[in-house]
mmCIF file of all heavy atoms in Angstrom:
data_model
loop_
_atom_site.group_PDB
_atom_site.id
_atom_site.type_symbol
_atom_site.label_atom_id
_atom_site.label_comp_id
_atom_site.label_asym_id
_atom_site.label_seq_id
_atom_site.Cartn_x
_atom_site.Cartn_y
_atom_site.Cartn_z
ATOM 1 N N TYR A 6 97.131 137.932 120.793
ATOM 2 C CA TYR A 6 97.170 136.527 121.291
ATOM 3 C C TYR A 6 97.364 135.639 120.104
ATOM 4 O O TYR A 6 96.885 135.938 118.997
ATOM 5 C CB TYR A 6 95.880 136.219 121.962
ATOM 6 C CG TYR A 6 95.904 134.962 122.844
ATOM 7 C CD1 TYR A 6 96.346 135.002 124.120
ATOM 8 C CD2 TYR A 6 95.410 133.750 122.330
ATOM 9 C CE1 TYR A 6 96.365 133.868 124.872
ATOM 10 C CE2 TYR A 6 95.449 132.588 123.090
ATOM 11 C CZ TYR A 6 95.900 132.677 124.329
ATOM 12 O OH TYR A 6 95.988 131.544 125.152
ATOM 13 N N ILE A 7 98.049 134.517 120.304
ATOM 14 C CA ILE A 7 98.256 133.523 119.217
ATOM 15 C C ILE A 7 97.897 132.176 119.824
ATOM 16 O O ILE A 7 98.294 131.837 120.895
ATOM 17 C CB ILE A 7 99.734 133.539 118.745
ATOM 18 C CG1 ILE A 7 100.099 134.868 118.155
ATOM 19 C CG2 ILE A 7 99.912 132.406 117.664
ATOM 20 C CD1 ILE A 7 101.580 134.997 117.771
ATOM 21 N N GLU A 15 88.183 132.027 118.434
ATOM 22 C CA GLU A 15 86.908 132.571 118.386
ATOM 23 C C GLU A 15 86.416 133.017 119.784
ATOM 24 O O GLU A 15 85.761 134.044 119.934
ATOM 25 C CB GLU A 15 85.857 131.526 117.858
ATOM 26 C CG GLU A 15 86.040 131.289 116.316
ATOM 27 C CD GLU A 15 85.721 132.473 115.532
ATOM 28 O OE1 GLU A 15 84.892 133.317 115.912
ATOM 29 O OE2 GLU A 15 86.266 132.616 114.462
ATOM 30 N N ILE A 17 88.320 134.111 122.258
ATOM 31 C CA ILE A 17 89.053 135.328 122.581
ATOM 32 C C ILE A 17 88.467 136.509 121.780
ATOM 33 O O ILE A 17 88.291 137.624 122.268
ATOM 34 C CB ILE A 17 90.564 135.173 122.297
ATOM 35 C CG1 ILE A 17 91.127 134.102 123.140
ATOM 36 C CG2 ILE A 17 91.303 136.545 122.480
ATOM 37 C CD1 ILE A 17 91.246 134.379 124.617
ATOM 38 N N ARG A 18 88.134 136.273 120.491
ATOM 39 C CA ARG A 18 87.550 137.268 119.643
ATOM 40 C C ARG A 18 86.238 137.804 120.285
ATOM 41 O O ARG A 18 85.985 139.040 120.391
ATOM 42 C CB ARG A 18 87.271 136.781 118.275
ATOM 43 C CG ARG A 18 86.674 137.819 117.329
ATOM 44 C CD ARG A 18 86.256 137.264 115.960
ATOM 45 N NE ARG A 18 85.329 136.156 116.025
ATOM 46 C CZ ARG A 18 84.010 136.324 116.208
ATOM 47 N NH1 ARG A 18 83.500 137.549 116.239
ATOM 48 N NH2 ARG A 18 83.234 135.260 116.240
ATOM 49 N N LEU A 20 85.316 137.685 123.467
ATOM 50 C CA LEU A 20 85.593 138.427 124.702
ATOM 51 C C LEU A 20 86.022 139.850 124.368
ATOM 52 O O LEU A 20 85.571 140.800 125.035
ATOM 53 C CB LEU A 20 86.723 137.730 125.479
ATOM 54 C CG LEU A 20 86.380 136.473 126.268
ATOM 55 C CD1 LEU A 20 87.613 135.853 126.792
ATOM 56 C CD2 LEU A 20 85.356 136.750 127.341
ATOM 57 N N LEU A 21 86.910 140.035 123.367
ATOM 58 C CA LEU A 21 87.377 141.328 123.030
ATOM 59 C C LEU A 21 86.258 142.187 122.456
ATOM 60 O O LEU A 21 86.141 143.376 122.704
ATOM 61 C CB LEU A 21 88.568 141.211 122.128
ATOM 62 C CG LEU A 21 89.856 140.606 122.734
ATOM 63 C CD1 LEU A 21 90.894 140.373 121.670
ATOM 64 C CD2 LEU A 21 90.362 141.418 123.890
ATOM 65 N N GLN A 22 85.396 141.564 121.604
ATOM 66 C CA GLN A 22 84.288 142.308 121.030
ATOM 67 C C GLN A 22 83.308 142.750 122.076
ATOM 68 O O GLN A 22 82.789 143.858 122.078
ATOM 69 C CB GLN A 22 83.601 141.495 119.997
ATOM 70 C CG GLN A 22 84.396 141.390 118.708
ATOM 71 C CD GLN A 22 83.629 140.560 117.675
ATOM 72 O OE1 GLN A 22 82.879 139.636 117.981
ATOM 73 N NE2 GLN A 22 83.887 140.877 116.389
ATOM 74 N N ALA A 24 84.079 143.507 125.010
ATOM 75 C CA ALA A 24 84.693 144.612 125.753
ATOM 76 C C ALA A 24 84.700 145.901 124.840
ATOM 77 O O ALA A 24 85.275 146.935 125.279
ATOM 78 C CB ALA A 24 86.068 144.247 126.172
ATOM 79 N N GLY A 25 84.195 145.856 123.683
ATOM 80 C CA GLY A 25 84.096 146.974 122.801
ATOM 81 C C GLY A 25 85.321 147.254 121.954
ATOM 82 O O GLY A 25 85.501 148.342 121.434
ATOM 83 N N PRO A 27 87.795 146.544 118.627
ATOM 84 C CA PRO A 27 87.761 145.979 117.284
ATOM 85 C C PRO A 27 88.789 144.837 117.231
ATOM 86 O O PRO A 27 89.886 144.930 117.822
ATOM 87 C CB PRO A 27 88.247 147.188 116.449
ATOM 88 C CG PRO A 27 88.922 148.113 117.360
ATOM 89 C CD PRO A 27 88.399 147.881 118.709
ATOM 90 N N VAL A 28 88.431 143.783 116.534
ATOM 91 C CA VAL A 28 89.271 142.581 116.529
ATOM 92 C C VAL A 28 89.163 141.888 115.189
ATOM 93 O O VAL A 28 88.105 141.849 114.605
ATOM 94 C CB VAL A 28 88.948 141.700 117.742
ATOM 95 C CG1 VAL A 28 87.516 141.210 117.735
ATOM 96 C CG2 VAL A 28 89.891 140.502 117.868
ATOM 97 N N LYS A 29 90.266 141.222 114.802
ATOM 98 C CA LYS A 29 90.311 140.390 113.606
ATOM 99 C C LYS A 29 91.025 139.090 113.968
ATOM 100 O O LYS A 29 91.839 139.102 114.887
ATOM 101 C CB LYS A 29 91.110 141.075 112.496
ATOM 102 C CG LYS A 29 90.565 142.355 111.877
ATOM 103 C CD LYS A 29 91.532 142.844 110.849
ATOM 104 C CE LYS A 29 91.077 144.193 110.276
ATOM 105 N NZ LYS A 29 92.006 144.632 109.225
ATOM 106 N N GLU A 37 95.996 122.472 104.614
ATOM 107 C CA GLU A 37 94.715 122.198 103.954
ATOM 108 C C GLU A 37 93.672 121.744 105.008
ATOM 109 O O GLU A 37 92.503 122.026 104.865
ATOM 110 C CB GLU A 37 94.868 121.077 102.916
ATOM 111 C CG GLU A 37 95.684 121.504 101.721
ATOM 112 C CD GLU A 37 95.880 120.393 100.746
ATOM 113 O OE1 GLU A 37 95.186 119.330 100.808
ATOM 114 O OE2 GLU A 37 96.745 120.541 99.865
ATOM 115 N N GLN A 40 92.536 121.947 111.076
ATOM 116 C CA GLN A 40 92.848 121.629 112.454
ATOM 117 C C GLN A 40 94.302 121.986 112.807
ATOM 118 O O GLN A 40 94.657 122.021 113.940
ATOM 119 C CB GLN A 40 92.648 120.132 112.703
ATOM 120 C CG GLN A 40 91.214 119.657 112.468
ATOM 121 C CD GLN A 40 90.256 120.303 113.455
ATOM 122 O OE1 GLN A 40 90.632 120.853 114.500
ATOM 123 N NE2 GLN A 40 88.943 120.334 113.141
ATOM 124 N N TYR A 44 96.485 130.794 114.782
ATOM 125 C CA TYR A 44 95.548 131.862 114.622
ATOM 126 C C TYR A 44 96.059 133.084 115.409
ATOM 127 O O TYR A 44 96.321 132.926 116.618
ATOM 128 C CB TYR A 44 94.103 131.491 115.044
ATOM 129 C CG TYR A 44 93.582 130.338 114.251
ATOM 130 C CD1 TYR A 44 93.803 129.005 114.614
ATOM 131 C CD2 TYR A 44 92.845 130.584 113.083
ATOM 132 C CE1 TYR A 44 93.307 127.978 113.888
ATOM 133 C CE2 TYR A 44 92.363 129.521 112.348
ATOM 134 C CZ TYR A 44 92.600 128.210 112.743
ATOM 135 O OH TYR A 44 92.099 127.198 112.013
ATOM 136 N N LEU A 47 94.083 139.803 116.339
ATOM 137 C CA LEU A 47 94.641 141.112 116.059
ATOM 138 C C LEU A 47 93.766 142.234 116.589
ATOM 139 O O LEU A 47 92.547 142.159 116.446
ATOM 140 C CB LEU A 47 94.855 141.279 114.573
ATOM 141 C CG LEU A 47 95.689 140.234 113.848
ATOM 142 C CD1 LEU A 47 95.547 140.339 112.345
ATOM 143 C CD2 LEU A 47 97.129 140.339 114.296
ATOM 144 N N VAL A 48 94.399 143.265 117.162
ATOM 145 C CA VAL A 48 93.670 144.472 117.614
ATOM 146 C C VAL A 48 94.548 145.663 117.121
ATOM 147 O O VAL A 48 95.707 145.560 116.892
ATOM 148 C CB VAL A 48 93.499 144.503 119.134
ATOM 149 C CG1 VAL A 48 92.592 143.343 119.613
ATOM 150 C CG2 VAL A 48 94.773 144.495 119.858
ATOM 151 N N PRO A 49 93.919 146.821 117.060
ATOM 152 C CA PRO A 49 94.700 148.009 116.725
ATOM 153 C C PRO A 49 95.738 148.269 117.778
ATOM 154 O O PRO A 49 95.556 147.977 118.949
ATOM 155 C CB PRO A 49 93.677 149.153 116.710
ATOM 156 C CG PRO A 49 92.366 148.483 116.458
ATOM 157 C CD PRO A 49 92.471 147.162 117.113
ATOM 158 N N GLU A 50 96.929 148.762 117.368
ATOM 159 C CA GLU A 50 98.031 149.002 118.268
ATOM 160 C C GLU A 50 97.641 149.771 119.500
ATOM 161 O O GLU A 50 98.103 149.481 120.611
ATOM 162 C CB GLU A 50 99.151 149.649 117.512
ATOM 163 C CG GLU A 50 100.432 149.820 118.281
ATOM 164 C CD GLU A 50 101.573 150.369 117.480
ATOM 165 O OE1 GLU A 50 101.358 150.745 116.279
ATOM 166 O OE2 GLU A 50 102.697 150.461 117.993
ATOM 167 N N GLU A 52 94.973 149.735 121.098
ATOM 168 C CA GLU A 52 94.099 148.970 121.952
ATOM 169 C C GLU A 52 94.834 147.760 122.560
ATOM 170 O O GLU A 52 94.231 146.947 123.286
ATOM 171 C CB GLU A 52 92.891 148.468 121.227
ATOM 172 C CG GLU A 52 92.115 149.574 120.486
ATOM 173 C CD GLU A 52 91.392 150.537 121.403
ATOM 174 O OE1 GLU A 52 91.241 150.182 122.629
ATOM 175 O OE2 GLU A 52 90.996 151.593 120.929
ATOM 176 N N GLU A 55 94.881 147.251 126.456
ATOM 177 C CA GLU A 55 93.487 146.905 126.949
ATOM 178 C C GLU A 55 93.089 145.481 126.583
ATOM 179 O O GLU A 55 92.503 144.772 127.362
ATOM 180 C CB GLU A 55 92.467 147.928 126.437
ATOM 181 C CG GLU A 55 91.093 147.667 127.016
ATOM 182 C CD GLU A 55 90.064 148.696 126.557
ATOM 183 O OE1 GLU A 55 90.444 149.729 125.981
ATOM 184 O OE2 GLU A 55 88.886 148.449 126.866
ATOM 185 N N ALA A 56 93.456 145.117 125.358
ATOM 186 C CA ALA A 56 93.174 143.700 124.925
ATOM 187 C C ALA A 56 93.861 142.721 125.787
ATOM 188 O O ALA A 56 93.243 141.705 126.208
ATOM 189 C CB ALA A 56 93.583 143.528 123.449
ATOM 190 N N VAL A 59 91.974 142.432 129.069
ATOM 191 C CA VAL A 59 90.724 141.676 128.932
ATOM 192 C C VAL A 59 90.999 140.202 128.872
ATOM 193 O O VAL A 59 90.397 139.379 129.509
ATOM 194 C CB VAL A 59 89.940 142.126 127.700
ATOM 195 C CG1 VAL A 59 88.772 141.210 127.399
ATOM 196 C CG2 VAL A 59 89.426 143.529 127.852
ATOM 197 N N GLN A 62 92.095 138.861 132.353
ATOM 198 C CA GLN A 62 91.053 138.873 133.357
ATOM 199 C C GLN A 62 89.935 137.864 133.058
ATOM 200 O O GLN A 62 89.379 137.293 133.981
ATOM 201 C CB GLN A 62 90.442 140.240 133.428
ATOM 202 C CG GLN A 62 91.400 141.277 134.092
ATOM 203 C CD GLN A 62 90.831 142.695 134.074
ATOM 204 O OE1 GLN A 62 89.654 142.854 133.651
ATOM 205 N NE2 GLN A 62 91.622 143.607 134.420
ATOM 206 N N LYS A 63 89.628 137.687 131.805
ATOM 207 C CA LYS A 63 88.391 136.902 131.454
ATOM 208 C C LYS A 63 88.635 135.580 130.773
ATOM 209 O O LYS A 63 87.738 134.746 130.815
ATOM 210 C CB LYS A 63 87.507 137.769 130.538
ATOM 211 C CG LYS A 63 87.033 139.047 131.234
ATOM 212 C CD LYS A 63 86.040 139.784 130.429
ATOM 213 C CE LYS A 63 85.543 141.056 131.180
ATOM 214 N NZ LYS A 63 84.551 141.748 130.508
#
Side-chain angles (χ1 to χ4, degrees):
Y6 195 83
I7 299 172
E15 289 295 331
I17 299 291
R18 180 185 60 82
L20 285 173
L21 294 173
Q22 285 180 330
V28 60
K29 295 180 184 180
E37 291 178 16
Q40 299 297 343
Y44 299 88
L47 305 167
V48 297
E50 185 175 5
E52 307 291 345
E55 185 176 350
V59 169
Q62 291 174 6
K63 297 185 179 184

